[in-house]
Amino acid sequence: MILTVLVGNFNTRLVLWEKNRIKMRKIVPTNQVLERLNRLIPNRALQGAALASVVPKVTLRLYQTLCRHTKTLLVTTRTPTPLKIVYRKKSLGVDRLCAAVGGILRYQQNLIIIDFGTAITFNIVHYQEKALLGGPILPNARIMFTALRDHTAQLPMVELHPRENPFVKSTRTAIQAGVFNLILGGIERIIEQIRCRTKAHYQIIATGGEAQIFSKKCQLINKVDPELTSFGLAQIYYFNRRTK
C-alpha cells in the first residue's frame, strides 16, 4: 500500500492505495494534518508515500514526518510525469498537475478538468499530445462571500447554496444567487471558449469539494470524480518508481 497526501489551503486528503484501489480515505483540516498523520501511519504497512502540497509553510514538516516512516516522494511541478506541461512550471500549482495526470491516465481522451478547490481551476488536457495546456482560474464561492463581507459595511457572510432563481427576497439569498450564477455562468462560458478555440471534443470532469453542487446544475459537466487528484498523485509515485 502507498499513502498519498494532498495538502490544500483548508483541507488535506489522505488516501491509502493498493495499486489503483482505494483502501481508506480521510479529509482532515490542514492545520491538523501532522497530528493525524502521527496517529495514522504507525498502524499501516506502507510501501511508500507521495506528498503534494500547495501550502509551503507545512510542506517540509509533513515531508520529514512521512520520511521517518516510509520512503516518500515529494511531488512538485518539476517531478517527472507522463505529461508534457505547456505552461510556466514556476506558476503551476502541483494540484493541477496531479489532476491532469490522473485524468489522462484514467479517461484517455481530451479533458477539461474543473477542480473546485479554494480556487476553481480549469485544466485542459490534450490526449494525443499527452499535454497539459493550462487553463483559467476563478475564485470559489467562499472567497467571493468573504470579499463581499470584508469590503462592504453591511453585507453579511453567507454559505454556498445552489440558488439559480434571481428573484430573491433578502440580502442573504441575493448574495447566494449572485455568486452561484456568476460561477455557473463563468464555467459554461470558459468551456464554450475552449471548445470554440480548439475545435476539439472534450470530456468535462469535475473534482474537488464543491463539484457535486455545481455539476447538478451544469449540464456540460459529464462526470464527478472526487479522488481524481489523489489518483494522479499516486500515478506520479508509480511512474517515478518504475523509471528509477
Side-chain angles (χ1 to χ4, degrees), residues 81-89 91-93 96-101 104 109-113 121-137 190 193-195 197-202:
T81 76
L83 277 185
K84 178 173 66 174
I85 302 174
V86 187
Y87 195 92
R88 187 174 296 173
K89 286 186 178 181
S91 63
L92 178 66
R96 300 184 69 180
L97 175 62
C98 292
V101 170
I104 202 76
Q109 56 187 300
N110 292 340
L111 299 172
I112 300 172
I113 301 168
T121 59
F122 292 74
N123 302 295
I124 308 162
V125 184
H126 192 280
Y127 177 63
Q128 285 189 332
E129 295 180 7
K130 300 293 189 294
L132 169 59
L133 307 180
I137 298 175
I190 288 168
Q193 284 293 304
I194 293 168
R195 287 174 168 171
R197 291 169 185 271
T198 61
K199 310 298 183 185
H201 174 75
Y202 296 89

Side-chain angles (χ1 to χ4, degrees), residues 12-143:
T12 294
R13 301 183 83 89
L14 307 174
V15 183
L16 275 174
W17 298 89
E18 189 167 10
K19 294 186 178 178
N20 292 331
R21 294 176 56 196
I22 294 175
K23 303 299 290 183
M24 180 219 72
R25 65 164 67 85
K26 289 183 183 294
I27 300 174
V28 302
T30 292
N31 59 10
Q32 298 176 19
V33 66
L34 276 166
E35 176 188 345
R36 297 291 186 93
L37 273 178
N38 284 323
R39 293 206 305 261
L40 172 71
I41 296 177
N43 299 320
R44 307 286 176 176
L46 293 178
Q47 296 171 320
L51 168 66
S53 172
V54 299
V55 187
K57 67 180 182 180
V58 302
T59 304
L60 180 59
R61 291 175 65 195
L62 282 173
Y63 180 65
Q64 290 170 337
T65 298
L66 289 164
C67 285
R68 285 198 292 269
H69 297 279
T70 189
K71 188 173 182 179
T72 302
L73 175 67
L74 176 59
V75 175
T76 72
T77 54
R78 296 188 179 279
T79 303
T81 76
L83 277 185
K84 178 173 66 174
I85 302 174
V86 187
Y87 195 92
R88 187 174 296 173
K89 286 186 178 181
K90 286 185 178 180
S91 63
L92 178 66
V94 68
D95 53 341
R96 300 184 69 180
L97 175 62
C98 292
V101 170
I104 202 76
L105 294 178
R106 179 168 277 177
Y107 296 102
Q108 300 184 15
Q109 56 187 300
N110 292 340
L111 299 172
I112 300 172
I113 301 168
I114 309 173
D115 190 347
F116 291 88
T118 305
I120 301 171
T121 59
F122 292 74
N123 302 295
I124 308 162
V125 184
H126 192 280
Y127 177 63
Q128 285 189 332
E129 295 180 7
K130 300 293 189 294
L132 169 59
L133 307 180
I137 298 175
L138 293 175
N140 76 353
R142 179 175 179 172
I143 290 175

